[in-house]
Amino acid sequence: MYKRKAIALIITLFFIITITVAIGVGLSQSSQATKEVGHHNFTLQTSVVLDDIVSILQNSSELDLIVKEESIESLYLFLSETEIMQFESNGLSVAVSLSSARSKFNVNSLLNIDDTKNVDRVNALNSYLNNYNINSEYINILLDNMSKIKEDMSYNSSIFNEKPYLFRDYIVSQDHLDDINAFYMSRYNENSLENIDFEELFYFSRDRALKVDLNYATVETWRLLLGCDQLRAASLNSN
């Protein structure tokens, strides 16, 4: 009789554990689903807001006049006066900041148009990275990711052994750079890259001929270009 009770108790315990696990999994999936819905709503709202912004700019009489005049001075005056725009979009209060798309350093310009190494830019970046005690091999890894496919695998690093499907024509985005940075930190077992604000330093374009717009250059870009300290770079940025 005691044996039956013990068996019944064990069955009950297993039943309770099963229900508890099922509830836990259900709550986890519900939480994940809520996050997904929130993400998609945000993406949809962002798309609507961007459409509104493009519409405002396309219908701007000031921009039309600047285009007709082909005046660089008028363009800079317009940007300085409308650096931050406030408006309502579908019930949302939106602040839009306008700046040059070339305020940062195009990391892909470490290679010239003919795919040769741009020694001056590589040296400038190397000097910048030395301030953070970052191994010069990091630049080799960057160069590998814009060196295209090499049948003989004659790359400077082993990144494509670990990440064989990584795009290697040029560095396309911050996510791409994050993959590269993760490989470097794992390969050399150090996290110095986390001290660099790459979103203020690099932008990503396949057009290596584009130059930095010094009228809007970020603090980190000035530090890279001139090898100057933070104070001097901040002064140049604000002026």
Side-chain angles (χ1 to χ4, degrees):
M1 182 170 178
Y2 290 115
K3 188 179 294 185
R4 290 180 182 176
K5 289 182 178 180
I7 293 173
L9 180 59
I10 291 172
I11 292 173
T12 302
L13 287 173
F14 276 124
F15 184 66
I16 292 173
I17 291 171
T18 302
I19 292 176
T20 302
V21 171
I23 292 174
V25 172
L27 289 174
S28 175
Q29 292 178 341
S30 176
S31 175
Q32 184 63 33
T34 301
K35 290 179 181 177
E36 287 291 328
V37 171
H39 173 73
H40 289 302
N41 283 340
F42 177 76
T43 302
L44 179 60
Q45 289 174 332
T46 301
S47 176
V48 171
V49 169
L50 288 176
D51 287 342
D52 287 346
I53 293 170
V54 171
S55 178
I56 289 172
L57 295 177
Q58 286 177 336
N59 296 313
S60 170
S61 57
E62 292 179 78
L63 278 179
D64 284 342
L65 185 60
I66 290 169
V67 171
K68 290 176 182 177
E69 291 181 350
E70 297 184 355
S71 170
I72 296 175
E73 291 77 10
S74 297
L75 176 60
Y76 282 130
L77 181 61
F78 172 80
L79 290 176
S80 63
E81 290 178 345
T82 58
E83 184 176 1
I84 297 180
M85 297 187 299
Q86 299 276 353
F87 70 99
E88 293 281 334
S89 176
N90 294 283
L92 296 174
S93 179
V94 181
V96 179
S97 176
L98 297 179
S99 65
S100 172
R102 293 186 285 115
S103 61
K104 306 168 191 176
F105 178 79
N106 179 17
V107 64
N108 295 295
S109 68
L110 293 174
L111 288 184
N112 295 313
I113 297 174
D114 61 359
D115 292 331
T116 58
K117 185 189 298 184
N118 188 305
V119 177
D120 290 338
R121 292 173 186 169
V122 167
N123 288 341
L125 179 57
N126 191 48
S127 296
Y128 176 88
L129 296 175
N130 282 340
N131 294 320
Y132 297 92
N133 298 315
I134 293 171
N135 193 317
S136 60
E137 287 302 309
Y138 176 67
I139 295 180
N140 287 331
I141 298 171
L142 292 178
L143 293 173
D144 280 347
N145 280 269
M146 57 190 80
S147 298
K148 301 182 179 178
I149 294 176
K150 296 182 178 181
E151 297 297 337
D152 60 357
M153 292 296 287
S154 57
Y155 297 103
N156 299 300
S157 70
S158 59
I159 187 169
F160 300 122
N161 293 333
E162 294 189 20
K163 299 176 180 290
Y165 301 111
L166 205 60
F167 189 65
R168 56 192 82 173
D169 282 4
Y170 63 99
I171 300 173
V172 299
S173 66
Q174 184 62 48
D175 286 341
H176 189 176
L177 184 67
D178 287 343
D179 278 341
I180 295 168
N181 290 353
F183 168 79
Y184 170 83
M185 289 188 286
S186 173
R187 175 70 175 79
Y188 293 97
N189 195 30
E190 61 98 6
N191 300 320
S192 299
L193 288 179
E194 294 179 348
N195 297 323
I196 298 178
D197 188 352
F198 283 103
E199 292 186 1
E200 286 295 305
L201 180 64
F202 289 157
Y203 82 97
F204 311 94
S205 171
R206 68 189 305 169
D207 187 350
R208 295 168 179 162
L210 293 176
K211 293 181 170 60
V212 175
D213 184 347
L214 297 182
N215 294 283
Y216 293 94
T218 64
V219 172
E220 293 307 306
T221 302
W222 278 116
R223 288 184 60 204
L224 169 61
L225 293 178
L226 298 185
C228 60
D229 59 23
Q230 187 83 13
L231 186 62
R232 174 61 175 154
S235 175
L236 289 165
N237 170 262
S238 63
N239 293 324

